[in-house]
Amino acid sequence: MERSTIVRVHEGLHARPATRFVKLAKSFECDIEIVRDGKAVSAKSPVKLMLLGVKENQEVTVRAEGADSIEAVEALIGYLENPLSGLDDEPQDDGAPQAEPVAAPVPVAPASLVQTHHGLRGVAASEGVAMGPAFPYFPAEINTDGRTLAPDETGAEVERLRRAVATVQQRMDATLADRSLAEGDRGIVAALRDIAADEDLIGEAERTVAGGLDAVSAVMAASAQVADEFAGMDDPYLNARADDIRAVGRQLCLALLGEEEAGLDALPEGAILIAEDIGAWDLARAPLKRIGGIVCGHGGATSHVAIIARSHGIPAVLGLGGQVDALREIGAIALDGSTGHVHPDPDDAIRADFEARITAAGKEREALTAYRDMEPRRADGTVIEVAANIGSLEEIDAAREAGAMGVGLFRTELLFMRHMHLPSEDMQAETYAALAQAFAPHPVIVRTLDIGGDKPIAGVEFPQEENPFLGWRGIRMCLDRPDIFKRQLRALLRAAVHGNIKVMLPMVSELDEVRRTRALIEECKGELATEGKSHADFPLGVMVETPAAVFIARELAKEVAFFSIGTNDLTQYVMAADRLNPVVAGLNHVENPAVMGAIEMTARAGVEAGIMVGMCGEAAGRPDLIPAFIRMGLTELSMSPASIQRAKKCIAEMSAG
Ligand code: PEP
Ligand code: MG
């Protein structure tokens, strides 16, 4: 029994729609295959199905053999012909895998460690001093000797492998049963559990064991082979699945060896996390409240690990290079996230110094709470808005507690990276509306999607780029993908009914980009009016973060409602120094006269045109620079919540002075 059809599932059969398809297929007893371009795979293997790479509007054949084949083909064809299959209108509580954000890759830094008489020195990535027990997080590599089995050993070894698979599945089920598991984490664990049960992966390992190789080596070979297949696909989402396969392979090997991964859950209160590299998403899921500080071989001051550390007030030194290895065996460590100094196993003098500084910092934090609710003003009475940079609704409370006067930068990337498919218009509208309501009457500035070749999202195919930071990112990508962009703009127009929403465009380098966006906004308004959906207009501004935008700031100022200076990117582009590369971190300073000159030019153009000029790059929270920015005419500064009270104090003192 077989039938062919054109796949209408939105974005095709990858990720969630694929795993749901497999689940449906598994509910039938018959053998089922799905065929595309002459290639047939089992419809009951999520790995095989994902690797088939079935896209929307492609023709496939469903072939079934067995007792219930008629019902199976009918159900599966119905699934394939439904554009909404597997998307977010379906129930989410069945343990099916869902969101897995993709962490921004942090490039490998060459050894850049500077050994000083103060200890080691890396990139000062998140201010503050910390000292505590070291928590080295260097998951051990699994080595295997590739042992050949005697013919009478293979049966027992296959059994051992099956027991290991069961153990891993039980461990994952136990994690899934934990009610405290966050929704996003649940999706990841559920996806891994599916892989651990995959007949393609496990079957291949079993066949290799039956052929005479020990189980650990067989699992490593099978997972490496499947992972390589994923890595070779022309889809960034599927490429990222290679890591999932390796992670499951690793878990299986540990179970075979009778071990269990310690993970970050075991991190004791106040410990300093030491790692060669840690993905932004791993960090976001870690017990952040317990982490006293972070020391990392990779990353730079504006990498996303640094941004997460700053937003949670965790001192961090990154970019220590390969020599972070030297910190594997230490017992305690002190670090200064403002200078980049790291002291392994500090002696008594250093301990005393850090203890004094930690106490002083605690007192300062205490004293700063007096500024929480103040509305800082310039000497002439103009209010300076001190707002928060956030990336998810979970951060609202911390921002409000810190005294944020609204949001100066809502990074929408996380919303897109968290999901295996593009977030729907309704879901986006709800998110933006919740944000606007939480801060009303203060403004909330939502930045439209700023995603690029270095940070893939599900549902968008990015080209392979030599220089992703100079490539198809931000507004460039959005204007080329009006289907994605209009969905976000429509959601923003709908959310604007609920509060004070402003919208800004990232990576602008031409006037035409603003004009084309306006035309799309008009189109969206027309559509919403026709559909009878309530919506409201919003002020449209731009981020000034490319040198091109600085040079055309006068022209831009005539066409937009506000500027927000993005010093993270502006610094890297003005100085031609990659913001993630610790080797050129010495050039990546906003206080360099070239960058300060660019900020001043932008401010002058904005002030002359009578529009608001703000800043949302990390420099906005620096007390040493805030007076200069205010003198240039900036009236809004947006920063990590942890910096808000100090910034308010700084402005108050400046005005009093
Ligand atoms: C910036 O570039 O300064 C900025 C705020 O944006 P992001 O760090 O998200 O690129
Ligand atoms: Mg930027």
Side-chain angles (χ1 to χ4, degrees):
M1 162 81 194
E2 66 173 56
R3 248 179 75 192
S4 299
T5 191
I6 303 292
V7 175
R8 299 294 180 204
V9 178
H10 184 63
E11 300 288 347
L13 273 195
H14 74 38
R16 189 166 187 177
T19 49
R20 285 185 178 269
F21 182 85
V22 169
K23 200 168 174 196
L24 184 58
K26 281 185 176 169
S27 68
F28 297 98
E29 278 178 14
C30 55
D31 292 331
I32 311 171
E33 281 184 339
I34 179 160
V35 191
R36 185 189 67 101
D37 289 341
K39 190 172 175 209
V41 300
S42 162
K44 296 187 181 180
S45 158
V47 167
K48 279 204 169 119
L49 191 65
M50 282 198 254
L51 283 171
L52 194 61
V54 176
K55 303 221 160 77
E56 189 176 350
N57 297 326
Q58 281 182 339
E59 185 175 358
V60 296
T61 302
V62 176
R63 195 183 282 158
E65 235 184 273
D68 49 3
S69 58
I70 296 176
E71 294 89 333
V73 170
E74 195 167 310
L76 292 170
I77 291 282
Y79 183 95
L80 294 173
E81 289 177 349
N82 178 2
L84 296 178
S85 289
L87 297 187
D88 50 0
D89 55 336
E90 295 198 5
Q92 310 222 342
D93 57 354
D94 58 1
Q98 38 169 337
E100 181 177 0
V102 185
V106 180
V108 177
S112 63
L113 188 77
V114 179
Q115 178 102 37
T116 70
H117 62 286
H118 299 296
L120 312 172
R121 183 148 182 212
V123 176
S126 175
E127 66 168 43
V129 278
M131 184 165 60
F135 187 82
Y137 185 65
F138 296 87
E141 273 189 29
I142 293 171
N143 291 314
T144 123
D145 48 2
R147 195 168 63 86
T148 309
L149 305 170
D152 62 347
E153 282 181 299
T154 54
E157 189 72 345
V158 168
E159 272 314 307
R160 203 165 77 84
L161 172 57
R162 288 186 183 156
R163 279 199 302 277
V165 171
T167 304
V168 169
Q169 289 181 352
Q170 275 161 14
R171 283 178 190 165
M172 289 176 174
D173 284 342
T175 311
L176 285 170
D178 182 349
R179 294 203 158 266
S180 66
L181 188 70
E183 248 343 277
D185 300 359
R186 188 177 303 281
I188 292 170
V189 179
L192 294 179
R193 195 204 176 286
D194 258 24
I195 292 169
D198 189 86
E199 63 180 37
D200 195 27
L201 179 68
I202 307 304
E204 176 61 25
E206 280 189 14
R207 280 187 292 280
T208 312
V209 173
L213 191 64
D214 72 276
V216 173
S217 307
V219 167
M220 290 204 25
S223 53
Q225 185 195 324
V226 179
D228 286 350
E229 282 182 59
F230 273 101
M233 301 283 287
D234 67 344
D235 179 321
Y237 174 80
L238 291 177
N239 298 156
R241 303 285 63 74
D243 287 340
D244 292 350
I245 305 285
R246 288 193 198 99
V248 170
R250 184 178 169 81
Q251 293 305 316
L252 289 170
C253 289
L254 288 171
L256 281 164
L257 297 167
E259 294 170 16
E260 208 170 336
E261 195 98 86
L264 288 175
D265 285 345
L267 188 133
E269 184 76 38
I272 312 295
L273 172 62
I274 303 171
E276 205 157 86
D277 189 11
I278 177 154
W281 179 240
D282 283 333
L283 187 58
R285 288 183 300 132
L288 290 168
K289 285 205 164 68
R290 295 208 299 270
I291 300 179
I294 298 170
V295 173
C296 229
H298 295 211
T302 51
S303 64
H304 285 85
V305 170
I307 289 171
I308 292 173
R310 276 196 292 272
S311 72
H312 291 269
I314 303 172
V317 176
L318 306 182
L320 277 168
Q323 294 180 65
V324 77
D325 254 5
L327 306 178
R328 281 171 187 258
E329 305 293 332
I330 59 169
I333 186 164
L335 68 132
D336 184 338
S338 316
T339 63
H341 286 107
V342 171
H343 304 269
D345 286 325
D347 60 22
D348 287 349
I350 292 174
R351 272 184 182 278
D353 176 43
F354 267 76
E355 270 157 17
R357 288 163 66 194
I358 290 168
T359 309
K363 283 196 183 132
E364 193 205 359
R365 260 200 312 279
E366 188 61 39
L368 281 175
T369 55
Y371 294 88
R372 180 184 177 275
D373 297 320
M374 77 149 347
E375 203 173 56
R377 288 171 189 269
R378 247 173 16 194
D380 68 359
T382 308
V383 172
I384 306 291
E385 281 172 48
V386 180
N389 289 353
I390 61 175
S392 65
L393 297 184
E394 288 91 331
E395 292 165 66
I396 290 177
D397 287 348
R400 293 203 325 184
E401 270 162 35
M405 299 157 72
V407 171
L409 166 62
F410 182 68
R411 290 184 166 96
T412 54
E413 294 75 65
L414 201 58
L415 200 61
F416 283 72
M417 291 162 82
R418 267 185 175 182
H419 294 269
M420 283 183 175
H421 51 79
L422 296 165
S424 67
E425 179 185 316
D426 285 352
M427 194 266 242
Q428 288 190 62
E430 271 170 35
T431 305
Y432 306 143
L435 195 63
Q437 277 160 348
F439 288 94
H442 291 301
V444 164
I445 303 183
V446 179
R447 176 173 75 184
T448 57
L449 188 57
D450 183 16
I451 211 90
D454 65 325
K455 294 180 264 171
I457 55 167
V460 185
E461 279 191 34
F462 283 90
Q464 214 37 48
E465 297 185 306
E466 285 282 326
N467 292 304
F469 273 123
L470 301 181
W472 199 55
R473 62 172 289 203
I475 190 68
R476 303 166 183 186
M477 186 281 271
C478 283
L479 285 170
D480 287 345
R481 287 293 305 261
D483 53 330
I484 298 172
F485 198 21
K486 278 180 66 181
R487 203 189 288 185
Q488 186 171 42
L489 293 171
R490 282 171 54 105
L492 286 162
L493 287 163
R494 287 169 55 189
V497 173
H498 301 282
N500 188 354
I501 292 238
K502 299 183 184 185
V503 175
M504 70 179 170
L505 310 177
M507 280 296 290
V508 166
S509 45
E510 283 190 325
L511 264 178
D512 199 43
E513 291 161 339
V514 177
R515 292 179 184 157
R516 288 170 61 201
T517 303
R518 277 208 194 283
L520 285 179
I521 294 172
E522 288 310 312
E523 243 177 79
C524 293
K525 287 201 293 203
E527 288 169 9
L528 289 169
T530 312
E531 292 161 27
K533 292 190 172 145
S534 63
H535 61 281
D537 224 341
F538 47 67
L540 182 69
V542 289
M543 290 195 68
V544 177
E545 54 182 346
T546 67
V550 175
F551 289 124
I552 59 164
R554 279 169 186 270
E555 288 73 34
L556 274 173
K558 289 183 201 140
E559 305 212 9
V560 299
F562 63 93
F563 285 160
S564 183
I565 303 174
T567 50
N568 305 342
D569 277 317
L570 187 60
T571 307
Q572 78 162 343
Y573 294 132
V574 167
M575 299 307 295
D578 185 340
R579 65 192 261 189
L580 296 179
N581 185 346
V583 178
V584 291
L587 283 171
N588 222 309
H589 288 306
V590 73
E591 60 269 44
N592 187 294
V595 186
M596 290 301 272
I599 296 171
E600 194 168 11
M601 266 178 80
T602 308
R604 199 176 315 126
V607 171
E608 276 172 16
I611 63 169
M612 183 196 92
V613 183
M615 179 180 285
C616 62
E618 294 299 315
R622 281 182 49 177
D624 55 331
L625 297 176
I626 287 174
F629 297 148
I630 305 273
R631 278 195 290 274
M632 288 178 193
L634 273 64
T635 54
E636 185 244 25
L637 297 168
S638 190
M639 60 199 69
S640 300
S643 304
I644 286 177
Q645 290 164 11
R646 182 147 4 102
K648 286 186 173 183
K649 174 174 185 242
C650 171
I651 301 163
E653 286 176 353
M654 180 189 173
S655 307

